[in-house]
Amino acid sequence: MTAVTGRYDFVLLFDVKDGNPNGDPDAGNMPRLDAETGHGLVTDVAIKRKLRNFVQLVKGAEPPYDIYIKEKAVLERTHRAAYLAIGAEEELADDPDAKGKKKRKGSADSVDKARAWICQNFFDVRTFGAVMSTGVNCGQVRGPVQLTFARSADAIVASEHSITRMAVATEAEAEKQDGDNRTMGRKHTVPYGLYRSHGFVSAFLAKQTGFSAEDLELLFSALEQMFEHDRSAARGEMSTRGLYVFKHDSELGNAHAHALFDRLTVARVGANEAVRQFQDYAVTFDGKALAVGESLQAAPGVTLMRRA
């Protein structure tokens, strides 16, 4: 595996049309909003879920690309597997504390070895990190890749639609409706929204988790293609519209991330009052639009490349 030798910062642009990009379960699954500005939000957790699903799809969830946080997973089973793999099964026995509670601390050496084993075998742990101290203790991992919430370029309109299902779930419901057998429901959509998220890759933390240049390439491929394999009527049409990667020559970085991000602007073009397509925006860096695959010198020691 090739080591990551420099810092990376990136900007991800994606859009949604007639769908709900990230519903809020505490608000009836309505699209997430900034209450003060009306801008749409998509959590970093939602983006990471799509990245995990893509890696699981293309790599088959086999080591070294297994996924730690996956549907219906029981995390302690993975922790136990790590202790068995490093030959520390005797430390899995319950150790009651003074109050009689069962705990399994594990020796410092075993925790370190178990953490290293999990990093080696699970892509999402060595990428995003994880807290693995619950139950069987495998420590904590600070991931080299971090993502921000995605925020829409403009305020969005959250629309609510009534929908009808021509069936009911139970005999009791059918009896109440005298055979009409209809079920009413609600569906939330955003007519259109262009979202922007920022990402950061630390070469120093990559060394600690074993995150390699090959892992980085897989991450960028996932960012480019994750929506192509995550289609859902509820989410409408979602697409990656831009992936702008700033590559630094040094591990510490050659420019501040926020200064680079500020120079990449998303601006409205045309006279349309209501935005309904990506073509209603212009994405430029210092006033220059980049084609996919094009690169330029963004600052001394920093190269900007548009990957998608």
Side-chain angles (χ1 to χ4, degrees):
M1 292 289 185
T2 308
V4 176
T5 57
R7 199 185 87 197
Y8 289 82
D9 306 305
F10 59 88
V11 176
L12 171 68
L13 299 177
F14 62 90
D15 63 358
V16 58
K17 184 175 183 180
D18 296 326
N20 186 353
N22 186 203
D24 185 350
D26 289 331
N29 206 43
M30 288 185 62
R32 296 181 188 270
L33 289 171
D34 181 323
E36 292 186 320
T37 67
H39 286 75
L41 300 173
V42 173
T43 67
D44 61 310
V45 175
I47 299 172
K48 289 176 184 177
R49 178 74 272 149
K50 290 172 173 48
L51 296 173
R52 287 183 170 101
N53 289 346
F54 179 87
V55 172
Q56 192 170 2
L57 179 70
V58 300
K59 293 296 185 178
E62 295 293 332
Y65 298 103
D66 203 351
I67 299 299
Y68 178 72
I69 303 292
K70 54 189 172 186
E71 187 176 3
K72 298 181 180 179
V74 179
L75 302 181
E76 190 173 2
R77 292 176 184 170
T78 301
H79 301 177
R80 285 181 168 276
Y83 271 67
L84 292 174
I86 64 173
E89 57 269 18
E90 71 281 355
E91 297 187 37
L92 295 175
D94 293 335
D95 178 23
D97 62 12
K99 296 181 180 180
K101 295 181 180 178
K102 295 179 180 179
K103 60 179 182 178
R104 305 179 189 93
K105 285 187 176 180
S107 67
D109 182 61
S110 294
V111 171
D112 288 343
K113 288 180 179 178
R115 180 171 56 240
W117 183 87
I118 291 177
C119 284
Q120 181 181 358
N121 287 277
F122 292 84
F123 173 83
D124 56 337
V125 175
R126 66 176 179 271
T127 303
F128 305 124
V131 177
M132 305 178 293
S133 53
T134 302
V136 177
N137 184 15
C138 292
Q140 300 182 24
V141 176
R142 186 179 175 195
V145 179
Q146 300 298 326
L147 296 170
T148 68
F149 274 35
R151 175 179 290 270
S152 65
D154 290 296
I156 63 170
V157 177
S159 302
E160 187 174 14
H161 313 274
S162 297
I163 56 176
T164 305
R165 182 175 69 175
M166 305 301 291
V168 292
T170 66
E171 291 287 349
E173 288 180 284
E175 292 175 4
K176 289 180 181 179
Q177 296 190 29
D178 295 326
D180 190 36
N181 292 7
R182 295 173 185 266
T183 305
M184 302 298 294
R186 312 293 287 175
K187 187 174 185 178
H188 301 282
T189 64
V190 174
Y192 184 82
L194 177 64
Y195 291 76
R196 173 174 177 161
S197 175
H198 295 164
F200 313 88
V201 183
S202 167
F204 292 106
L205 294 177
K207 290 178 183 178
Q208 296 179 20
T209 70
F211 182 79
S212 66
E214 289 80 7
D215 290 331
L216 181 62
E217 181 60 32
L218 177 58
L219 173 72
F220 286 151
S221 295
L223 288 166
E224 294 167 7
Q225 303 177 58
M226 58 185 175
F227 297 115
E228 302 302 317
H229 305 279
D230 188 55
R231 299 300 182 190
S232 165
R235 286 187 285 277
E237 293 182 64
M238 296 186 69
S239 305
T240 296
R241 291 296 188 171
L243 179 58
Y244 296 81
V245 179
F246 296 93
K247 182 182 184 302
H248 299 252
D249 290 345
S250 71
E251 293 180 332
L252 280 174
N254 300 83
H256 292 298
H258 70 270
L260 298 172
F261 293 156
D262 287 347
R263 294 162 61 190
L264 185 72
T265 59
V266 179
R268 292 271 297 271
V269 296
N272 294 335
E273 291 186 8
V275 177
R276 291 295 182 268
Q277 59 182 350
F278 178 66
Q279 289 70 24
D280 288 332
Y281 289 100
V283 183
T284 59
F285 183 80
D286 287 347
K288 175 179 173 56
L290 274 69
V292 176
E294 187 177 358
S295 60
L296 55 77
Q297 195 75 21
V302 183
T303 302
L304 167 62
M305 179 178 182
R306 182 182 177 187
R307 290 190 50 123

